[in-house]
Each structure stands twice: as C-alpha cells, then as structure tokens.
C-alpha cells in the first residue's frame, strides 16, 4: 500500500512498477471516486493487485483490511496526516507490516516552509486590506494564479472576503513543524526520530532503503516480494 503526494506521482509510479518489476498496480485519486473499482475497494476493503497506490483520498475515509498487505509506504508529512494514512490499513493482533517513509531533503523542507509562509502572507495581506478593496484583492490574487485562495478564504453571507480560520491554524502548525525540522536537520535522523515518537515506544530503529535495496525501485520491490 503506497500513499503518494500527487496524481502525477501516482500515475508515474504505477507505470514504473509495471515496467520495472512486472507487478500489477492500481492507482486511486479523488478522480476515482465515481468508478466501479473504488466502490469495490470500499465494499470489500481489499484489492486484488500486488500494489495499491493512492493519494490521500484513501486516508480520509477508505479502509483496507487485507491481511496480505505487508508493506506500507508514506510520503513526508506531519503527524495528523501520517496517522490518518497509516490507520487506513487495519491489522490483526498478530499482523506485522514493514513501514517505509520518505525522508525529506533540506531543500524540500525549505520549499514547503516557504510555501506556508507565502500563504500566511496572503492571509495577512487580506486582513490589512480595507473592506471596500477586498473584492479587487481577491480578483488580483485569482489573476496571479493563487489557487490556494480556495482554501484560505471564503465569501461570507454578507459577501465579504473572509479568512478561513481553520486553514490559518493549520498553517501555524505546519510552520512550526517545518521550522523545527529545518533547525534540527543537521542532527542525524531528525525526521525519522519524529516518526518513531508518533508510533510510540515499540517502534524499531529505522533502516534505510539504500541498505536493503541498492538497485533502486526494482530492487526495493524484489526485496519486498520476498519478505
């Protein structure tokens, strides 16, 4: 079971798994919700393919109770998203899985931190804007291609551009999370240790993909197939 951060990444991974490893793979995103295979997955809570690749659409509602699942791969994310995605796979008391996580580079952390600060700046900009100019500001941000405005703002019943306070709180949490990782990045395994703290005291020490599968994706899948 592999969670991915984007539709493009999921489709490419599905193609590579079939081409490099000869494994059958299904891919689900929000666009799959009207399809027959999505309904089947929700009803049966299992999948017939070797690999299920999904965006976080599965993490917000679907459940997998397939005891043949032995590996779960998660993208870099915060605690809430991590636990939501991991919790989609329901295990029996004696079942074990191998958990694989994406360890971010400092460049990725800084890029995400900059994006969060950009969104926060947009909120502050809207708050400083006089009421009579907010419609023009919304139009300007729309023309700039600021797609995040759909989650950062809403139009109140009085027709006023209003800040989404839940989104604002999420941005505060993300900035604290990314800033903490960026500040501790020189520490060995800072994100890995963070993940282990989310899993509780029984989490094993992390092993790294390069140590178990030096041949990249194909070697990784071959390694998983035998475990």
């Amino acid at each position: 079971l592999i969670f991915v951060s984007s539709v493009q990444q999921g489709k490419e991974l599905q193609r590579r798994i079939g081409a490099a490893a000869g494994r059958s793979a299904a891919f689900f995103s929000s666009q799959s919700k009207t399809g027959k295979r999505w309904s089947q997955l929700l009803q049966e809570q299992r999948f017939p393919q070797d690999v299920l690749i999904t965006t976080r659409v599965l993490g917000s509602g679907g459940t997998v109770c397939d005891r043949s699942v032995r590996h779960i791969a998660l993208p870099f994310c915060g605690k809430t998203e991590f636990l939501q995605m991991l919790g989609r796979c329901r295990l029996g008391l004696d079942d074990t899985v191998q958990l694989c996580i994406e360890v971010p580079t400092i460049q990725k952390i800084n890029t995400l931190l900059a994006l969060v600060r950009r969104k926060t700046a947009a909120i502050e900009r809207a708050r400083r804007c006089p009421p009579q100019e907010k419609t023009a500001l919304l139009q300007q941000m729309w023309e700039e291609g600021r797609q995040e405005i759909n989650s950062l703002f809403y139009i109140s019943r009085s027709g006023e551009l209003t800040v989404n306070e839940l989104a604002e709180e999420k941005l505060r949490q993300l900035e604290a999370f990314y800033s903490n990782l960026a500040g501790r990045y020189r520490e060995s395994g800072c994100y890995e240790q963070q993940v282990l703290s989310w899993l509780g005291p029984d989490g094993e020490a992390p092993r790294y993909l390069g140590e178990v599968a030096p041949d990249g994706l194909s070697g990784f899948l071959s390694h998983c197939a035998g475990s």
Side-chain angles (χ1 to χ4, degrees):
L1 176 60
I2 302 176
F3 285 88
V4 293
S5 300
S6 69
V7 171
Q8 181 180 4
Q9 184 184 42
K11 290 181 177 179
E12 174 62 14
L13 185 57
Q14 182 186 30
R15 183 193 67 78
R16 291 177 62 193
I17 286 175
R23 299 278 176 178
S24 61
F27 171 61
F28 288 108
S29 68
S30 59
Q31 300 169 358
S32 309
K33 282 192 168 183
T34 57
K36 181 179 179 181
R37 289 197 305 169
W38 175 258
S39 298
Q40 184 179 10
L41 175 65
L42 294 183
Q43 291 175 1
E44 299 180 2
Q45 298 184 336
R46 62 183 65 245
F47 52 94
Q49 296 82 6
D50 296 322
V51 183
L52 174 62
I53 307 165
T54 177
T55 61
R56 298 179 188 183
V57 64
L58 182 64
S60 59
T63 300
V64 174
C65 294
D66 192 337
R67 298 189 66 177
S68 63
V69 174
R70 287 292 174 263
H71 307 275
I72 302 176
L74 304 182
F76 169 60
C77 57
K79 181 178 180 179
T80 300
E81 293 81 2
F82 178 88
L83 294 178
Q84 283 178 340
M85 289 185 286
L86 186 59
R88 292 310 91 206
C89 188
R90 304 299 171 84
L91 304 176
L93 291 176
D94 299 324
D95 293 337
T96 59
V97 296
Q98 184 179 62
L99 177 62
C100 306
I101 62 170
E102 174 194 358
V103 179
T105 62
I106 187 60
Q107 290 82 5
K108 181 166 187 173
I109 294 173
N110 285 334
T111 296
L112 292 171
L113 182 57
L115 179 61
V116 165
R117 288 173 174 169
R118 180 188 181 201
K119 292 180 179 180
T120 301
I123 289 176
E124 293 173 351
R125 182 181 175 190
R127 279 220 167 93
R128 294 194 303 268
C129 183
Q132 66 274 16
E133 298 178 11
K134 285 189 174 181
T135 300
L137 174 61
L138 179 62
Q139 180 66 28
Q140 180 183 348
M141 288 192 289
W142 181 264
E143 291 175 352
E144 292 172 355
R146 303 288 295 273
Q147 296 181 4
E148 66 267 22
I149 61 177
N150 292 326
S151 61
L152 298 181
F153 308 103
Y154 64 94
I155 304 300
S156 68
R157 291 184 178 181
S158 61
E160 184 178 353
L161 180 66
T162 307
V163 173
N164 180 347
E165 294 184 357
L166 293 177
E168 187 177 23
E169 175 58 28
K170 180 64 175 180
L171 289 175
R172 279 195 285 265
Q173 294 175 8
L174 286 174
E175 177 160 13
F177 176 59
Y178 295 147
S179 296
N180 179 56
L181 287 181
R184 297 175 49 216
Y185 197 80
R186 293 185 180 275
E187 299 177 19
S188 178
C190 63
Y191 179 63
E192 297 90 311
Q193 296 303 320
Q194 185 74 72
V195 169
L196 289 175
S197 72
W198 299 338
L199 294 173
D202 297 328
E204 298 181 2
R207 294 181 298 162
Y208 294 90
L209 179 58
E211 297 175 6
V212 298
D215 298 325
L217 176 64
S218 180
F220 171 62
L221 292 172
S222 297
H223 167 78
C224 291
S227 59

